[in-house]
Amino acid sequence: MRYSREHKQETHDRIVKKASVRLREKGAHGIGVADLMKQAGLTHGGFYAHFDSREALVIEAFAYAMDRSMEHWRKQSDQVAPEKQLTQIVETYLSALHRDNPGHGCSIASLGAEISRESPKTRKAFAGKLDEMIEMIVDYIPGLPRKAARKQAIATLATMAGTMLLARIAGTSELSDEVLKAGKDSALDGARREPVKAVAKKPREKQN
């Protein structure tokens, strides 16, 4: 039976969506192609009708997951005033809800360590999405020159992702809650820091 182009695209998208969740739950190597296809309600044999390789699916699934994270950030930030947008993102990210649901959370915290061991092609794709995330955070840091805002955005994202990784290592214990709070306080300190205003230099007096 031949399917329409629309049906094939819908099936393709369903595989990517399912894979993005399972990869964040189980890791990049924690689930095979057969399992991924089964999750999407398809047979293993149909995989290569949609993807050239497992790597191609992994790259698409990573990109999908990171796009969903940024979409979630946009929705969260739209609920508050501009000066509170970054604070809103940090507080939502460093929450027990996010910690306990890695399959629907940020793929940097879930898969970052694994991505660093993947192929150059996979790392390049992931790095491109990482840069998009950084630039998005830059837009939520008003009152700073672009270069300074980007530096702060990188530090904030690194704090958020690192905190989430440590919190998940600690499970749902008191230590995990302590890690979340400490990371949140650190990230928010940066988000709330007042921009440093440049001090105008006085003209040097001419000597006689």
Side-chain angles (χ1 to χ4, degrees):
M1 179 185 295
R2 298 189 65 179
Y3 293 103
S4 67
R5 182 177 299 176
E6 291 77 12
H7 181 272
K8 185 175 181 179
Q9 186 61 50
E10 288 174 2
T11 301
H12 181 100
D13 294 344
R14 186 167 78 250
I15 297 170
V16 170
K17 184 176 180 179
K18 292 286 186 180
S20 76
V21 175
R22 296 295 287 170
L23 289 169
R24 281 175 284 174
E25 289 177 341
K26 301 295 183 181
H29 300 285
I31 185 169
V33 169
D35 293 323
L36 290 172
M37 295 298 282
K38 184 178 180 181
Q39 285 287 319
L42 300 166
T43 63
H44 187 185
F47 177 81
Y48 291 102
H50 294 276
F51 305 96
D52 293 333
S53 63
R54 186 180 187 280
E55 180 184 49
L57 170 58
V58 168
I59 289 173
E60 279 201 53
F62 287 159
Y64 176 88
M66 295 184 82
D67 285 342
R68 296 292 74 72
S69 290
M70 288 186 280
E71 182 181 327
H72 180 66
W73 290 358
R74 290 187 188 96
K75 289 180 180 178
Q76 288 291 320
S77 63
D78 286 345
Q79 299 174 13
V80 297
E83 66 273 13
K84 296 181 178 179
Q85 289 177 329
L86 183 54
T87 297
Q88 177 76 3
I89 290 171
V90 171
E91 290 182 339
T92 303
Y93 190 104
L94 294 177
S95 64
L97 179 63
H98 184 197
R99 176 194 64 195
D100 299 339
N101 292 276
H104 293 88
C106 176
S107 53
I108 298 176
S110 299
L111 299 162
E114 292 185 66
I115 294 299
S116 65
R117 303 186 193 96
E118 291 290 328
S119 69
K121 183 178 180 180
T122 301
R123 294 200 306 272
K124 182 178 180 180
F126 197 88
K129 287 297 178 182
L130 174 61
D131 193 57
E132 284 185 38
M133 279 189 159
I134 291 169
E135 285 299 306
M136 183 176 181
I137 295 175
V138 168
D139 292 337
Y140 296 139
I141 303 177
L144 282 179
R146 191 77 183 179
K147 186 175 181 180
R150 182 175 170 85
K151 182 178 180 180
Q152 183 175 319
I154 292 171
T156 300
L157 183 56
T159 300
M160 288 162 56
T163 297
M164 184 54 61
L165 175 61
L166 294 181
R168 285 176 177 161
I169 290 172
T172 56
S173 63
E174 290 183 7
L175 173 59
S176 182
D177 293 337
E178 184 181 8
V179 169
L180 281 178
K181 186 179 185 308
K184 185 184 298 184
D185 290 345
S186 179
L188 289 177
D189 281 345
R192 293 167 179 160
R193 191 172 296 136
E194 290 293 328
V196 177
K197 295 182 179 179
V199 178
K201 293 183 179 180
K202 295 181 179 180
R204 297 179 64 180
E205 295 181 1
K206 294 183 179 180
Q207 295 182 351
N208 295 328

